[in-house]
Amino acid sequence: RGYAVFDLETTGFSPRSDRIVEVGVVALHPDGSVEDEWETLVNPGRDVGATRVHGITASDVLGAPRFRDVAEDLEEVLEGRALVAHNASFDVRFLTSEMVRAGRLATGAVPPSVCTMV
């Protein structure tokens, strides 16, 4: 079905204790043309972490949805696509952890990914 080039901003480095604060996805057809774009800030339900790194403040996410509230829409954008990210192992671990927490993905079900850093 194509690719989903995505990027996350997080509150820290541990998918167990940290959360996603922003998600951006560009869905591509197999030929590389853009099919869709999707992005949202996410209220992590905790401190936003290193604002100096990601530029996102607590006031930015105050009215943003929780991850569980956007998980279904995000799942639709990603479904059937190979995930592409810079440092994919980091982003895919966070994405998988949040999807499991939201009840949208079985534990251990990691989608295929391509890392642009490698």
Side-chain angles (χ1 to χ4, degrees), residues 75-98:
E75 183 179 48
E76 288 176 16
V77 174
L78 300 177
E79 187 176 7
R81 299 179 188 280
L83 304 180
V84 179
H86 195 71
N87 196 3
S89 64
F90 178 86
D91 284 353
V92 170
R93 276 195 324 265
F94 261 92
L95 178 63
T96 301
S97 180
E98 290 281 22

Side-chain angles (χ1 to χ4, degrees), residues 49-65:
T51 295
R52 66 177 166 39
V53 174
H54 51 58
I56 299 167
T57 65
S59 61
D60 292 335
V61 299
L62 191 59

Side-chain angles (χ1 to χ4, degrees), residues 7-113:
D7 187 41
L8 306 176
E9 297 301 335
T10 66
T11 63
F13 299 112
S14 172
R16 286 184 168 194
S17 59
D18 292 303
R19 298 292 180 265
I20 293 172
V21 293
E22 186 177 33
V23 180
V25 181
V26 177
L28 302 174
H29 291 287
D31 69 3
S33 62
V34 175
E35 180 178 333
D36 194 12
E37 295 180 27
W38 188 91
E39 67 85 23
T40 187
L41 288 170
V42 177
N43 185 331
R46 52 158 287 170
D47 181 76
V48 294
T51 295
R52 66 177 166 39
V53 174
H54 51 58
I56 299 167
T57 65
S59 61
D60 292 335
V61 299
L62 191 59
R66 301 301 282 275
F67 189 87
R68 68 178 170 265
D69 299 326
V70 300
E72 183 176 359
D73 292 337
L74 179 56
E75 183 179 48
E76 288 176 16
V77 174
L78 300 177
E79 187 176 7
R81 299 179 188 280
L83 304 180
V84 179
H86 195 71
N87 196 3
S89 64
F90 178 86
D91 284 353
V92 170
R93 276 195 324 265
F94 261 92
L95 178 63
T96 301
S97 180
E98 290 281 22
M99 285 296 212
V100 167
R101 212 176 277 113
R104 305 301 307 178
L105 188 67
T107 303
V110 179
S113 64

